[in-house]
Amino acid sequence: MKFSFDRDAMVKEIAIAQEIITNKSPISILSNILLSAESNTLTIKASDSSVTFTTKIPVDVQEEGNTTVYCDKFMSILSSSPTGEIEFSQEDVKVIIKPTAKKIRFQLKSIASDKFPVINKAENVPFFEVSAKEIKEMISQTIFAVSEDANRYFMTGVYFTKKDDTLIMVATDGRRLSYVSKEIGQGVKDFPPAIVPVKILSCILKNASDEGNISIAVVDRLIYVKFGNYEFSSSLLEGQFPNYQKVIPEKQQFSFMVNKADLDSALKRTTILIDKKVSRLLFRIAPGTLTLISPETDLGTAAEEIPCRYDGDEVTIALNYLYVAEPIRVVDTENVVFEFTEAMKAITMRSEPASDYFHIIMPMNLN
């Protein structure tokens, strides 16, 4: 096996492979990437046994073949090498990597390609196409709200489903819930509801362009995703996703509206002295004003008053400040509205004017 390639083009692809690989042991085949050189094309594959990645790039192949190399060290070699052409060749169980611009020769041990797990090809899979920009927006509006509790594994992914011509994504950790729906499912055939792991969603967010479409298929407990030169697949999470519709309030009696930028800035300042283990921040709402108060700790306390549109009785609500700060980043309107009935019941956070996205927050105890 022997081929040469452009260093910068290869770095881009191996960086994505690194996102997939989680096992850092150099003796594990899952820490390696599979390289297949044929017809002046290099196919690169990576897998962590649940999520897979495949891409192809043009290279100059002098001798066709297959091998696997330890991904992290291969990336380190590429990163330390100058821009330009690099030669790659295999000798028995070793690969030789030589940047042509430097008098240096790297020798890296390899593992035979037949040890690499089989990656299923997405053949005869019922793909549907959706706007890349729209689906990335849906992911960004939900992915941060998934649970990190491994014992509640069915909540560690984003619920993805279709209703009529509407695609829906929902995420919850049991104390908050993010919901987004977009009417971008026209012509999309029904597919089984899926709980999609965060890793493959993060890959889409990071690597897909905002232009054009993304191809998606949900079938046989797997999700397949294609865009550009890239193909990803992932096992879906098993289990019953919570009945999120029961959490969404049908009607709420009160609401207040604040400027998004004002609230974001006030959050950053008032949480400087907050107890990060508790993350509790008090929201005191009164006619015309919202006061953010960090409860007193050994370090001190902070309070800031910002204008708000509200004409009800004064009320104080305790919230995990992250449950407000994180959805603020994905709200793209000038103002944000909070709807509530009483201090200890679910609060709805949404953009103003209302759009296809909202966030539900369960309040904390005041003390």
Side-chain angles (χ1 to χ4, degrees):
M1 180 183 186
K2 185 176 182 180
F3 61 90
S4 57
F5 59 88
D6 176 73
R7 178 261 187 198
D8 292 346
M10 183 70 79
V11 164
K12 180 182 176 184
E13 311 304 317
I14 303 305
I16 301 174
Q18 279 191 310
E19 295 174 37
I20 301 300
I21 294 172
T22 55
N23 189 333
K24 301 301 182 183
S25 169
I27 62 172
S28 169
I29 192 66
L30 292 181
S31 295
N32 283 29
I33 51 172
L34 174 65
L35 303 177
S36 302
E38 183 180 11
S39 303
N40 285 334
T41 299
L42 182 71
T43 301
I44 304 167
K45 296 184 178 182
S47 174
D48 72 351
S49 77
S50 295
V51 181
T52 68
F53 164 66
T54 302
T55 188
K56 295 182 179 182
I57 61 170
V59 296
D60 181 14
V61 177
Q62 291 91 50
E63 185 179 334
E64 296 183 348
N66 306 282
T67 193
T68 78
V69 293
Y70 184 33
C71 183
D72 276 3
K73 291 303 180 186
F74 186 42
M75 185 61 169
S76 296
I77 290 170
L78 295 175
S79 298
S80 68
S81 299
T83 294
E85 186 179 78
I86 296 179
E87 295 178 355
F88 183 108
S89 60
Q90 184 175 22
E91 299 175 3
D92 298 323
V93 294
K94 301 172 185 176
V95 297
I96 310 300
I97 303 165
K98 296 191 297 182
T100 56
K102 291 285 183 181
K103 294 182 178 180
I104 183 170
R105 179 179 184 270
F106 295 98
Q107 182 175 291
L108 190 61
K109 291 184 178 180
S110 64
I111 301 177
S113 58
D114 58 6
K115 306 291 185 182
F116 199 81
V118 175
I119 293 180
N120 295 327
K121 292 184 178 180
E123 296 178 348
N124 302 317
V125 173
F127 280 100
F128 59 85
E129 291 197 348
V130 292
S131 160
K133 183 178 180 181
E134 299 274 23
I135 204 72
K136 285 179 65 179
E137 189 173 278
M138 293 180 73
I139 294 170
S140 68
Q141 290 174 329
T142 51
I143 193 170
F144 60 84
V146 302
S147 174
E148 296 180 353
D149 184 353
N151 293 321
R152 309 171 84 181
Y153 58 90
F154 51 87
M155 290 165 60
T156 61
V158 175
Y159 186 71
F160 182 39
T161 190
K162 175 179 177 288
K163 183 178 181 181
D164 299 326
D165 288 339
T166 301
L167 296 183
I168 299 168
M169 284 190 179
V170 186
T172 181
D173 63 6
R175 298 174 297 277
R176 59 168 166 181
L177 180 146
S178 281
Y179 174 100
V180 60
S181 62
K182 289 185 179 292
E183 293 185 359
I184 57 174
Q186 295 88 346
V188 174
K189 293 183 179 180
D190 290 345
F191 57 86
I195 307 175
V196 185
V198 165
K199 181 181 281 190
I200 190 169
L201 297 175
S202 296
C203 287
I204 296 170
L205 270 185
K206 187 172 182 179
N207 300 296
S209 166
D210 287 343
E211 305 298 325
N213 292 332
I214 290 177
S215 299
I216 300 174
V218 179
V219 61
D220 295 334
R221 304 304 307 160
L222 292 168
I223 184 168
Y224 296 91
V225 179
K226 296 194 299 184
F227 53 88
N229 296 332
Y230 306 138
E231 295 184 12
F232 296 88
S233 71
S234 174
S235 300
L236 297 173
L237 297 177
E238 305 254 345
Q240 182 66 44
F241 196 77
N243 186 352
Y244 64 89
Q245 292 172 324
K246 285 187 175 181
V247 179
I248 301 172
E250 292 183 9
K251 185 178 180 181
Q252 290 176 296
Q253 187 174 356
F254 306 106
S255 68
F256 64 93
M257 183 173 72
V258 294
N259 178 272
K260 172 189 166 181
D262 286 349
L263 179 58
D264 190 28
S265 298
L267 281 169
K268 290 173 182 175
R269 286 187 286 267
T270 53
T271 56
I272 291 173
L273 299 177
I274 207 167
D275 182 350
K276 295 300 193 292
K277 293 180 180 178
V278 179
S279 301
R280 183 190 296 111
L281 188 68
L282 304 182
F283 287 64
R284 181 173 296 159
I285 310 108
T289 62
L290 167 65
T291 305
L292 304 184
I293 306 166
S294 63
E296 187 167 356
T297 67
D298 292 340
L299 295 175
T301 183
E304 181 169 347
E305 183 180 293
I306 59 175
C308 83
R309 186 175 298 176
Y310 174 70
D311 59 6
D313 295 333
E314 181 175 308
V315 61
T316 299
I317 301 171
L319 298 174
N320 184 321
Y321 80 93
L322 289 172
Y323 293 0
V324 178
E326 289 176 332
I328 273 182
R329 300 183 192 127
V330 296
V331 170
D332 58 3
T333 55
E334 183 178 353
N335 295 312
V336 180
V337 167
F338 293 80
E339 300 171 339
F340 65 98
T341 298
E342 55 184 81
M344 290 306 298
K345 288 192 175 180
I347 294 169
T348 302
M349 178 180 173
R350 62 170 177 80
S351 60
E352 178 56 39
S355 65
D356 46 25
Y357 171 73
F358 60 81
H359 189 73
I360 305 292
I361 309 170
M362 294 304 299
M364 304 174 75
N365 291 325
L366 287 169
N367 299 318

